[in-house]
Amino acid sequence: MHITTCEMHTCGEQLRIIETGFPNISGETILEKIAYIRENCDDIRKFLMHEPRGHHDMFGTLRVEPDLPNADAAFIFIHNEGYGTMCEHAIIALGRYCVDYNIVEAKEPETLVNIQCPCGLIPTYVSYGNGLSGRLRFQSVPSFVLKMDVNVNVPNIGMITVYISYGGVFYAFVSTDVLGLTVKAGDALKAVEIGQAVMNATKKIVKVEHPENEDLGFLYGTIIYDRTELKSKDLIRQMIVFADRELDRSPCGSGTAAHIALIHAKGLLDGNCQKTFQSIFNDSKFTGKVVKKAKCGNFGPVFEEKSDFLKTCRTTRTRTTT
């Protein structure tokens, strides 16, 4: 088997883009394609994500044919455990990728790239020319809070309160003050184990359902944040544990979307105000704000647009395997 990939990262969070060599995929929709890969090609996902060609925190994406009429490109997300329905650090890299590799013709000062993800279409705006090629913004899918104030009994921790919010995937949100953690790199390894335990315990008592598509109804990860920052600051640090104990190096795009929805539901974000989320490993930041209210099933979610001021770095490698 001969597979070529393009290696990118957003704020230190890697993205392995599979370009050629993947078998033909059946399915009319992107979600049907995921189901086909899971049943027929999952060994390739493991091959590219796991050691020795990958590592525990590897993240990847596969380009497929779009099934939405306005999409310029469509991508499936893969990781150490399986398949994701949204990844916004990947959207940032893929916006650049689509422009850099002429999938969409570059226009100054900003190029619109419509990227189809399993959860929907993401209008992505890539700044181009005049030294602004590292700037990118996009509008997420409808984001909403599924559950507020859920009491969860976590082994070795006890009863805690979590919130479940959606930003393309569902996250359980929990504050550091009930976990005995700080939102700092020094507590990252503890956060991985505790975040996984919170997610596992939450899955046992909460039925996570998306109001419009059952394939989107699953808990993807845990977001650990500082309650005092949430209430008093415009800059919030957060640690994101997802899949099988993966830790996001970036501020997390889908987590930003879900967090904006949660902050808005708590009455802590009004009008055109915005919040900025920062990685615990570097000074990279994602900024989110409410754009407009909308409906998603019986929920009244918010759309939010994130303006991400950063650089994505790329190297390209060819991998030959047998």
Side-chain angles (χ1 to χ4, degrees):
M1 181 183 296
H2 183 89
I3 294 177
T4 60
T5 67
C6 178
E7 310 291 318
M8 300 185 73
H9 78 82
T10 303
C11 304
E13 181 69 2
Q14 65 285 322
L15 183 68
R16 171 166 290 170
I17 304 170
I18 304 167
E19 294 186 306
T20 66
F22 206 90
N24 292 330
I25 305 167
S26 297
E28 294 297 320
T29 69
I30 194 169
L31 290 170
E32 289 175 357
K33 290 180 173 71
I34 290 176
Y36 178 87
I37 294 171
R38 184 183 289 115
E39 292 297 321
N40 298 278
C41 309
D42 197 51
D43 56 330
I44 302 178
R45 173 192 64 81
K46 295 175 182 177
F47 184 79
L48 291 171
M49 296 295 102
H50 294 176
E51 298 279 3
R53 296 164 187 85
H55 55 81
H56 183 79
D57 292 325
M58 178 59 74
F59 198 93
T61 188
L62 171 67
R63 186 181 174 191
V64 296
E65 284 296 318
D67 56 81
L68 296 179
N70 295 326
D72 295 307
F75 296 91
I76 289 170
F77 304 123
I78 61 177
H79 47 68
N80 69 3
E81 186 184 45
Y83 304 83
T85 56
M86 180 54 155
C87 178
E88 294 178 7
H89 95 268
I91 291 293
I92 295 168
L94 291 170
R96 285 287 308 278
Y97 177 81
C98 287
V99 171
D100 290 350
Y101 285 89
N102 299 315
I103 295 172
V104 175
E105 182 182 357
K107 298 179 181 178
E108 295 187 17
E110 196 172 55
T111 304
L112 170 62
V113 184
N114 285 313
I115 299 176
Q116 183 184 355
C117 303
C119 65
L121 190 68
I122 309 296
T124 304
Y125 301 86
V126 183
S127 293
Y128 196 81
N130 296 323
L132 296 175
S133 59
R135 180 176 175 175
L136 185 146
R137 63 186 178 92
F138 59 89
Q139 184 168 306
S140 186
V141 293
S143 303
F144 56 89
V145 178
L146 180 70
K147 299 282 185 180
M148 297 281 279
D149 300 308
V150 180
N151 293 321
V152 179
N153 191 6
V154 182
N156 301 318
I157 296 175
M159 193 68 70
I160 64 172
T161 299
V162 305
Y163 307 85
I164 300 175
S165 189
Y166 177 82
V169 289
F170 287 97
Y171 291 98
F173 285 79
V174 60
S175 174
T176 53
D177 57 350
V178 301
L179 299 176
L181 290 173
T182 63
V183 193
K184 295 180 180 179
D187 272 354
L189 292 180
K190 287 187 203 174
V192 169
E193 296 307 315
I194 291 175
Q196 189 75 32
V198 169
M199 180 167 61
N200 293 342
T202 304
K203 284 180 178 180
K204 291 180 180 179
I205 66 168
V206 178
K207 186 175 183 180
V208 175
E209 293 181 301
H210 190 276
E212 294 184 344
N213 194 319
E214 65 179 5
D215 289 333
L216 304 178
F218 61 93
L219 191 62
Y220 185 59
T222 301
I223 294 182
I224 301 169
Y225 65 95
D226 187 320
R227 195 191 310 270
T228 59
E229 290 184 345
L230 183 65
K231 291 183 177 180
S232 63
K233 297 182 180 180
D234 292 327
L235 179 64
I236 302 166
R237 294 167 298 164
Q238 56 185 15
M239 297 188 287
I240 301 88
V241 182
F242 66 98
D244 180 16
R245 294 175 172 83
E246 285 204 38
L247 183 66
D248 200 327
R249 270 72 172 167
S250 81
C252 186
S254 56
T256 293
H259 214 156
I260 288 290
L262 178 59
I263 296 170
H264 186 269
K266 288 184 172 184
L268 300 175
L269 189 67
D270 298 320
N272 290 322
C273 296
Q274 63 185 29
K275 289 285 187 180
T276 299
F277 301 86
Q278 182 174 331
S279 167
I280 63 170
F281 296 108
N282 50 58
D283 62 356
S284 61
K285 301 176 183 70
F286 293 171
T287 298
K289 67 178 181 179
V290 174
V291 175
K292 63 181 179 180
K293 294 183 179 179
K295 295 288 289 182
C296 185
N298 294 324
F299 291 88
V302 296
F303 281 98
E304 76 289 339
E305 179 178 292
K306 286 160 290 300
S307 300
D308 300 318
F309 303 89
L310 48 91
K311 294 287 184 179
T312 55
C313 302
R314 182 187 72 245
T315 61
T316 304
R317 295 194 290 269
T318 300
R319 300 178 181 275
T320 305
T321 57
T322 56

